[in-house]
Amino acid sequence: MSTSYTFRVLDADGSVFGKGCFTYDGPPGDVDIAHLLGGADGSRGPKLTAFWYHDSIVGTLSLKNLLSFNFTQGEQASSRFAINVWNVPESTHGITAGTASPAQLGVASAHRGNGGELSCKGRKLEFPKLAEATTVVEEGETVIPTVDLVVVIDASGSMRDEADTLSKVVGTAIEATKTKCPSNLRTTYLGIEGTFSKTVFTTTVRNYLTQTAKVDASLLRGRTAAQVSADASKEDAGRVIEDISTHFDWRPGAVRNIFFLGDEPLEGGLSLTPEGQDQEDIEAANRAIQVATQTGTRVHMYMGTGKYSSDAAKHERVRKAIEGEYARVARDTSGQFFASQDSLNAFEAMLEKVICGSKTDPRVTTTEFCCCQEYVEQRGDTAVPQ
């Protein structure tokens, strides 16, 4: 391996006047190098493989101009540094400086170039510093996902009081999230076999799928009021999750999301069982999970405040059973579950995860230091001779 050091020549006021660097074969640490021109007798220590020095008086001098060089550091010897570099044989340009230590600057005893002998300007030589590798961290690129979000509501009477509030909450949260981050979001609001006036839910799932998405109505799993009671058809959430997952006109490459708002079991509403749901409700949830998973659709579930019994104990038992199924559908489709007591902030946090652009990992590039002419001739931190 090789090791590089940089050093500077300072003007009398402490500003940088010249810069240099050198490289030798071997690891950093304790070292004792003596280099004489051409590797003459008296040279010792690791081989010096590169040397450059530049200031506005001498110009640029390299290893071939290095008459003598001493660099020692370590616990076994006092640290010192001295250079004597000239454009031999003319010797019209060059600098002799030393001896510098970590605690004391060395004196530039000879300094000659354009303008003649300039050694009496009080310039000093610094002790070298290990040249660290350059690490560049490039910020990751922002990846803006294409996201389709279908917000679906149980359109039965029990949700009427909540529909207006929920539509405002959902819309406000989406707009707030969009202002925080770049997104390519399409949001569609649909009611199950019904709508609510003066809300965002003005189109039914069936009408959207058959008219906008051009799906054959016979392919839909959701039931109509002609097949079951009107309220039951509006509470077929499990079937509707299947229909939207399968037949919605998802954009190519879009991240698919359904956000369902309801307060009843997922197959036609409450059953007559003590828990308010039966095996059909559980199987409806199972099918919804299966189809959503197969189509890569995340289902987020919101459970509103239904009234399930005048008996408080039974009401709580039914509520917990329904809530458990809502939470299971969300969990098993990689979605999120929300209950009526959750704040708007919780919903906004979910939306940020769903629709906000993400960044790729930053790219870290490390370039080993190269003792080179380009380094010593960098402008902007060396003075112009007075």
Side-chain angles (χ1 to χ4, degrees), residues 56-57 92-93 111-118 385:
S56 56
I57 292 177
T92 57
H93 294 71
H111 200 184
R112 186 182 307 130
N114 296 328
E117 177 63 45
L118 299 168

Side-chain angles (χ1 to χ4, degrees), residues 2-311:
S2 63
T3 301
S4 296
Y5 282 82
T6 62
F7 62 92
R8 304 184 301 177
V9 170
L10 304 181
D11 227 330
D13 63 0
S15 60
V16 178
F17 190 85
K19 295 197 305 182
C21 64
F22 59 89
T23 301
Y24 64 84
D25 285 338
D30 294 358
V31 67
D32 183 11
I33 302 174
H35 174 89
L36 298 179
L37 182 64
D41 291 345
S43 298
R44 68 175 182 275
K47 180 181 179 181
L48 202 63
T49 59
F51 177 92
W52 293 94
Y53 175 75
H54 176 87
D55 67 33
S56 56
I57 292 177
V58 305
T60 301
L61 298 170
S62 64
L63 184 62
K64 67 180 182 180
N65 307 119
L66 191 60
L67 300 181
S68 65
F69 170 96
N70 284 273
F71 176 56
T72 301
Q73 70 168 2
E75 296 181 359
Q76 304 303 317
S78 59
S79 298
R80 62 187 184 275
F81 177 58
I83 59 171
N84 185 22
V85 55
W86 293 82
N87 65 327
V88 291
E90 295 86 357
S91 296
T92 57
H93 294 71
I95 184 171
T96 301
T99 297
S101 71
Q104 184 173 346
L105 299 174
V107 176
S109 57
H111 200 184
R112 186 182 307 130
N114 296 328
E117 177 63 45
L118 299 168
S119 60
C120 58
K121 296 290 186 178
R123 298 189 178 101
K124 301 294 180 66
L125 176 67
E126 274 190 331
F127 192 78
K129 295 180 179 179
L130 184 65
E132 302 288 351
T134 301
T135 300
V136 178
V137 180
E138 299 180 16
E139 188 174 357
E141 296 180 357
T142 299
V143 178
I144 302 176
T146 299
V147 178
D148 283 343
L149 176 62
V150 184
V151 184
V152 185
I153 194 168
D154 164 355
S156 65
S158 63
M159 290 293 289
R160 183 174 296 276
D161 291 340
E162 290 187 299
D164 183 62
T165 300
L166 288 174
S167 66
K168 290 178 181 178
V169 168
V170 170
T172 299
I174 289 173
E175 290 306 313
T177 305
K178 288 167 65 176
T179 63
K180 294 179 182 178
C181 59
S183 61
N184 181 5
L185 173 68
R186 179 181 66 160
T187 308
T188 306
Y189 300 92
L190 304 173
I192 302 178
E193 296 297 318
T195 60
F196 294 107
S197 61
K198 298 181 181 180
T199 72
V200 293
F201 302 101
T202 58
T203 303
T204 67
V205 173
R206 184 174 302 276
N207 285 345
Y208 185 91
L209 294 181
T210 57
Q211 297 175 14
T212 302
K214 307 300 182 182
V215 177
D216 188 332
S218 65
L219 298 177
L220 300 181
R221 293 264 302 142
R223 297 173 293 184
T224 67
Q227 297 172 296
V228 292
S229 70
D231 273 352
S233 69
K234 296 174 182 179
E235 296 165 347
D236 262 349
R239 293 170 178 263
V240 165
I241 290 171
E242 292 183 61
D243 287 340
I244 295 175
S245 297
T246 305
H247 301 298
F248 188 78
D249 55 339
W250 306 104
R251 288 178 293 174
V255 180
R256 301 179 176 194
N257 292 272
I258 296 173
F259 185 58
F260 172 71
L261 309 167
D263 62 357
E264 301 278 355
L266 302 183
E267 176 80 354
L270 285 174
S271 70
L272 299 178
T273 63
E275 290 76 24
Q277 61 179 351
D278 53 22
Q279 188 60 33
E280 288 185 351
D281 297 310
I282 296 172
E283 291 176 357
N286 291 339
R287 289 192 301 270
I289 291 169
Q290 180 181 12
V291 174
T293 301
Q294 289 174 344
T295 57
T297 306
R298 287 184 289 186
V299 183
H300 312 280
M301 302 289 287
Y302 173 93
M303 183 172 170
T305 54
K307 183 67 175 178
Y308 310 113
S309 173
S310 57
D311 178 83

Side-chain angles (χ1 to χ4, degrees), residues 373-386:
Q373 185 174 359
E374 181 181 356
Y375 167 75
V376 299
E377 290 186 331
Q378 286 176 347
R379 298 181 177 180
D381 57 358
T382 55
V384 176
Q386 301 297 319

